[in-house]
Structure formats: structure tokens, C-alpha cells
């Protein structure tokens, strides 16, 4: 039986933590198990540690192994609000130090969750992505404007009772462009996105009085609930696996995961 090195992907999002176990199998990064998501208060390190413990334990228990594995290397998926100039903000870095020390984890890199989602969609579709990414969290909405695989705009909107108004607010904050992508991809914190999809499909995006810049009525798609944490493992994990010597460096290796 071939022994594999197992690593964690830990997604820390506003009030939500997710975890997946991944490995390199046949020279490819693969997700082995995904745990239950856990909620945290988004304001205290103790709450973050407790939620991370739940998420990691859940993912580890689903490994399907009779023996307990000591998995301690972790790649982090973080909100863009935690990042400044490709580095983790110092106040958030202090949290990560406490979290990893308490959980006996070894951080091996990090990715911005929205960037990982973009790259994972591109990987699955085999073409540079052009779309608007909408990440719905309990109190926030993350929006990314992506053109041909490049992020042209990234905004965060406080959620209100009217989600379509929130999306409109986010669109108004993007850099002025002649035309917006006619595709919206929704990812989530475990809420039912079908109702949100229907709200977006019923909105008059092409109304002459609105002038949003859509050439066609937007197509709205929902990504699976575990898509984000899988994206963190598979998009960011490739370079981490190279740095750890688990796979050989490809001739044109993308720099997806950043060192901590």
C-alpha cells in the first residue's frame, strides 16, 4: 500500500471555517475528504480556534482510515480583507500564529479564496475566466470582476435585507468599464443560493434606465458548497506540493500560493 503525505486546506471566511484534507496522488493534487463547516464570531481568536478545531476534526474523521493520521501542514484560504499588498495583515497574522500554535499546525502558504475560486473554475473549464464572482457570507458580500483570468476589481459590501441592492452597490464600485461580463458565479457560506439566484435572474439588468453595461442578460450559476475549500487545496496546493518536494515543478508553474 502506497503511503501518501496528507495536508490540510483551511478556509477562514467571514464567520465561517471550512477544511479539506488533500494529498498528491499520481503527481496530481487531490482532495481526499471535506469536513463540515463551522461558524465563528469573526471577532475573537478563541472563536476562530474552536471553529477550526471542529472543521479540521470533521475532515480528518472522514479520511476513511483505521489509523489516526497526524496531519499538521496546512495551506490557508483567506478573505481579501485579510490581505494587504500580497501579505497577511499584521493583526490577522497574529491570529494565525496563535491558531497554528494552539492547533499544532505548520502553515505552508496561503491563497486569497476568491483568487483560488477563479483559478479552479479556469482549471475545470480549460479557458481563462470572464465573470463576476459573488461570495455570500452571513454579513458580507465579496465581489470580484474577472476578465480573461485577471481580477480587474474586488469589493466588499455589507449585506442588507435586499441582496439585489447589495449586488448593484458592488457593481457600482467596480472600475468604470464599457461592458460587464454576462456571467455571475455564486459561492457561499452554506446558505441556500437558489433563492438568491432567482432574485438575480428576475432583476432588470438590461433596463435602459439602469445602464449596467451588460451586453447580454447575465447567466447566473451556483458553485457547489465545498467548491471554495476544494479550490484552495487544488489551486494553491500545486505550488505548495512543489515547494515540499512532493511533485516536480512544471515548466510554467503558476505562483498561486504565497508564503506566510
Amino acid at each position: 500500500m502506497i503511503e501518501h503525505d496528507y495536508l490540510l486546506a483551511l478556509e477562514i471566511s467571514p464567520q465561517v471555517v471550512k477544511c479539506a484534507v488533500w494529498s498528491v496522488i499520481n503527481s496530481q493534487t487531490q482532495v481526499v475528504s471535506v469536513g463540515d463547516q463551522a461558524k465563528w464570531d469573526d471577532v475573537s481568536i478563541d472563536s476562530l480556534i474552536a471553529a477550526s478545531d471542529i472543521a479540521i476534526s470533521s475532515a480528518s474523521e472522514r479520511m476513511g482510515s483505521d489509523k489516526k493520521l497526524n496531519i499538521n501542514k496546512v495551506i490557508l484560504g483567506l478573505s481579501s480583507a485579510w490581505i494587504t499588498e500580497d501579505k497577511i495583515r499584521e493583526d490577522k497574522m497574529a491570529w494565525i500564529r496563535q491558531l497554528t500554535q494552539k492547533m499544532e499546525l505548520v502553515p505552508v502558504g496561503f491563497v486569497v479564496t476568491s483568487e483560488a475560486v477563479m483559478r479552479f473554475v479556469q482549471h475545470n473549464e480549460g479557458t481563462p475566466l470572464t465573470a463576476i464572482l459573488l461570495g455570500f457570507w452571513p454579513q458580507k458580500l465579496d465581489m470580484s470582476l474577472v476578465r480573461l483570468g485577471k481580477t480587474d476589481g474586488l469589493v466588499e459590501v455589507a449585506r442588507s435585507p435586499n441582496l439585489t441592492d447589495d449586488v448593484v452597490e458592488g457593481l457600482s464600485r467596480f472600475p468604470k468599464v464599457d461592458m460587464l461580463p454576462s456571467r455571475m458565479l455564486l459561492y457561499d457560506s452554506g446558505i441556500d443560493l437558489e433563492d438568491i439566484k432567482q432574485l438575480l435572474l428576475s432583476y432588470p439588468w438590461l433596463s435602459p434606465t439602469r445602464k449596467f453595461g451588460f451586453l447580454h442578460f447575465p447567466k447566473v450559476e451556483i458553485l457547489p458548497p465545498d467548491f471554495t475549500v476544494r479550490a484552495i487545496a487544488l489551486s494553491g496546493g500545486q505550488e505548495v506540493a512543489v515547494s515540499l518536494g512532493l511533485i516536480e515543478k512544471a515548466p510554467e508553474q503558476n505562483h498561486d500560493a504565497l508564503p506566510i
Side-chain angles (χ1 to χ4, degrees):
M1 180 177 177
I2 299 176
E3 293 290 335
H4 296 288
D5 290 309
Y6 294 100
L7 300 91
L8 299 172
L10 188 66
E11 176 188 345
I12 303 174
S13 296
Q15 294 186 277
V16 176
V17 176
K18 300 179 185 178
C19 183
V21 178
W22 62 280
S23 185
V24 174
I25 301 173
N26 297 325
S27 299
Q28 296 291 327
T29 53
Q30 296 186 29
V31 171
V32 180
S33 69
V34 177
D36 295 326
Q37 71 173 34
K39 295 182 179 181
W40 70 294
D41 62 15
D42 210 22
V43 295
S44 72
I45 182 59
D46 289 341
S47 178
L48 176 57
I49 291 172
S52 299
D53 188 30
I54 292 171
I56 292 172
S57 296
S58 176
S60 300
E61 289 169 0
R62 293 179 180 172
M63 285 287 292
S65 174
D66 293 333
K67 60 181 179 180
K68 182 175 177 60
L69 297 172
N70 182 23
I71 309 172
N72 60 5
K73 294 185 177 66
V74 60
I75 181 171
L76 301 168
L78 305 174
S79 166
S80 60
W82 283 38
I83 310 301
T84 300
E85 298 180 350
D86 289 337
K87 293 184 179 180
I88 301 172
R89 285 170 34 191
E90 189 53 42
D91 58 330
K92 302 304 183 184
M93 192 67 227
W95 278 14
I96 289 173
R97 291 191 188 100
Q98 292 183 64
L99 170 66
T100 53
Q101 289 173 4
K102 182 72 173 181
M103 301 291 297
E104 297 183 347
L105 299 173
V106 179
V108 292
F110 75 91
V111 293
V112 177
T113 299
S114 58
E115 293 283 336
V117 169
M118 177 189 73
R119 296 189 187 105
F120 195 31
V121 172
Q122 290 180 165
H123 172 77
N124 290 342
E125 298 182 351
T127 184
L129 179 65
T130 296
I132 299 169
L133 302 181
L134 304 175
F136 290 90
W137 310 109
Q139 297 180 357
K140 300 175 183 177
L141 167 62
D142 285 334
M143 297 183 62
S144 304
L145 174 62
V146 180
R147 293 181 180 279
L148 297 175
K150 302 291 184 181
T151 301
D152 283 351
L154 189 63
V155 299
E156 181 183 277
V157 181
R159 279 185 52 176
S160 72
N162 193 323
L163 291 176
T164 52
D165 284 351
D166 300 340
V167 175
V168 170
E169 170 67 20
L171 293 177
S172 71
R173 297 186 193 175
F174 283 143
K176 295 299 181 182
V177 294
D178 294 332
M179 191 179 302
L180 288 171
S182 296
R183 185 185 187 192
M184 296 181 179
L185 298 178
L186 316 184
Y187 59 96
D188 72 306
S189 59
I191 61 175
D192 184 1
L193 291 178
E194 187 58 41
D195 289 344
I196 297 176
K197 175 181 177 179
Q198 295 307 317
L199 285 172
L200 294 174
L201 288 173
S202 65
Y203 196 82
W205 299 111
L206 297 183
S207 171
T209 61
R210 301 289 181 173
K211 297 182 180 179
F212 288 110
F214 291 109
L215 181 61
H216 305 288
F217 195 90
K219 180 181 180 182
V220 182
E221 305 165 58
I222 298 174
L223 299 175
D226 62 353
F227 194 92
T228 50
V229 73
R230 288 181 177 272
I232 291 162
L234 299 177
S235 174
Q238 189 77 13
E239 185 169 340
V240 167
V242 169
S243 68
L244 295 176
L246 302 177
I247 56 178
E248 294 184 1
K249 183 178 177 67
E252 295 182 2
Q253 179 70 43
N254 291 326
H255 295 281
D256 294 339
L258 296 171
I260 291 182

